[in-house]
Amino acid sequence: MMKVHIDEVTEGCRIAEDIMGLTTHPIVKKGTELEAIHIEALKAFHIQYVEVFSTLSDGSSVEAEPVREEEVEVRKEPESTPFKKQYMELIIYYNGVFNSWQSGGKIDIVALKSRLMPLLRQVAKDKSIIYQLHRWSEAKHYIAHHSVSTALISYLLAEKAGYDQGSCTQLAVAGMLTDTGMAKMPMSILKKSGALTQDEAREIRKHPLYSYQYVMDSPLLRNEMKAAILQHHERLDGSGYPKGSRGDEISKSSQVLALADVFHAMTSERLYRAKKSPFRSLEVIWEDEMGKFDIALLRALQEIIGGLATGTPVILSDGRTAEVIFTQPQHLLRPVVKSGEDMIDLTKERKLYIEQVIS
């Protein structure tokens, strides 16, 4: 074993001792072969040094200079960022249990919910977290990021739509479970970076049914939420799947999950395309997907994403930094901003949009 600085750790290193986080569960367990997501999580937790085995997973030697105990720096712990720490911890946990589902394991909804609840409490207090979710998502671990983020967005959307607290939490848990059925998909499909064939697309369209089968006997979810999981890819105009349901055949809860699902998917990096700005993604949904989603829910999501306060710093799609000066109620996604000496009305400069809100 050897102690190395986190900046010298590379993918393929194997952890020699459990690395603990904010909970009683390890961030990374002993024996784990590190991937980029693990290294990012360790840095998010401000882990400076880790114990690794002296050989990589392929048998080659670790090319890092071991650190002697007397050289270990004693530093004041940086300012805590509990949300991202717990978010990354849940991503790693979800990846682990997803692998077990692929091998036939059962879903432990209690364990998933217990890890989700601290995130729900924080996002309820600080809704600006929603602007960060797409930045953390990565194509390699898309299903985990998408599942957790869909849960958080579903919670905020349900809250904005007037659901009671219990229903908001139920919808968040349901949102995290919508893609459990992906565990039954062939790895050749999950890892494919190009367009799916017709047969592969038909196979993917079965995942809502598989997700429903995972949860249908659970007493922890209301029947309404189980049905919402089954219907989360249905569309009001009948263009969705698996049944091609339309209009009143689709429950309101299903529509909450559907909008949260497609919004996060559009903002996230995928194996076959780059991520989009939350502002631009929501505009595309309004422009290209009209008739597929509930208008009231679209307006609710627009109010969550748009309506930035005066003085909010942003980055525009052309790379310039700016600050919000004024937002018209009918154009929440396109405020008037100031960049340097330039006043820019985004309702008129249609080629520009807000790329990122600076926290």
Side-chain angles (χ1 to χ4, degrees), residues 127-147:
K127 295 175 176 55
S128 67
I129 288 170
I130 197 172
Y131 300 118
Q132 309 303 319
L133 298 178
H134 75 294
R135 298 174 62 190
W136 300 335
S137 183
E138 53 180 344
K140 187 175 181 181
H141 299 287
Y142 171 74
I143 293 176
H145 284 282
H146 182 61
S147 299

Side-chain angles (χ1 to χ4, degrees), residues 279-291:
F279 292 82
R280 182 59 189 144
S281 295
L282 190 47
E283 281 190 334
V284 170
I285 294 173
W286 271 103
E287 294 165 2
D288 298 346
E289 308 289 328
M290 186 57 67

Side-chain angles (χ1 to χ4, degrees), residues 22-72:
L22 292 178
T23 71
T24 57
H25 307 283
I27 309 170
V28 182
K29 292 183 179 179
K30 178 180 178 180
T32 298
E33 178 184 336
L34 290 181
E35 298 180 9
I37 188 173
H38 298 119
I39 297 172
E40 181 183 351
L42 293 173
K43 290 180 177 179
F45 275 78
H46 306 300
I47 302 298
Q48 295 182 46
Y49 304 95
V50 293
E51 294 278 356
V52 299
F53 291 108
S54 57
T55 58
L56 300 174
S57 55
D58 62 5
S60 60
S61 297
V62 172
E63 296 183 1
E65 189 69 28
V67 177
R68 297 190 300 272
E69 287 300 325
E70 59 268 25
E71 294 176 334
V72 173

Side-chain angles (χ1 to χ4, degrees), residues 214-359:
Y214 271 124
V215 303
M216 63 182 183
D217 294 327
S218 173
L220 300 173
L221 278 180
R222 301 172 190 168
N223 289 335
E224 176 189 354
M225 302 305 163
K226 297 173 187 177
I229 289 172
L230 177 62
Q231 290 189 323
H232 78 279
H233 275 291
E234 300 287 6
R235 298 293 181 259
L236 294 178
D237 63 359
S239 63
Y241 60 88
K243 294 184 177 181
S245 301
R246 64 172 59 238
D248 292 340
E249 297 172 340
I250 305 171
S251 73
K252 187 67 172 288
S253 293
S254 303
Q255 294 171 50
V256 170
L257 298 189
L259 185 53
D261 172 87
V262 76
F263 174 72
H264 182 261
M266 196 172 287
T267 64
S268 300
E269 180 184 1
R270 307 290 291 275
L271 290 173
Y272 50 86
R273 64 163 169 77
K275 64 182 69 176
K276 283 189 176 75
S277 154
F279 292 82
R280 182 59 189 144
S281 295
L282 190 47
E283 281 190 334
V284 170
I285 294 173
W286 271 103
E287 294 165 2
D288 298 346
E289 308 289 328
M290 186 57 67
K292 296 185 178 184
F293 300 98
D294 181 89
I295 292 294
L297 289 175
L298 274 170
R299 289 194 179 114
L301 184 55
Q302 182 173 267
E303 289 177 12
I304 294 170
I305 300 300
L308 296 174
T310 298
T312 300
V314 298
I315 298 175
L316 302 179
S317 54
D318 64 358
R320 283 183 289 175
T321 57
E323 66 175 44
V324 173
I325 301 299
F326 174 72
T327 303
Q328 302 176 65
Q330 67 272 33
H331 298 292
L332 294 179
L333 302 177
R334 291 189 162 272
V336 176
V337 300
K338 184 178 181 181
S339 179
E341 298 300 317
D342 298 329
M343 297 291 288
I344 306 167
D345 185 346
L346 294 178
T347 65
K348 297 176 181 177
E349 299 289 340
R350 302 299 298 182
K351 291 184 179 180
L352 283 177
Y353 53 85
I354 294 174
E355 181 66 40
Q356 181 179 319
V357 175
I358 301 174
S359 299

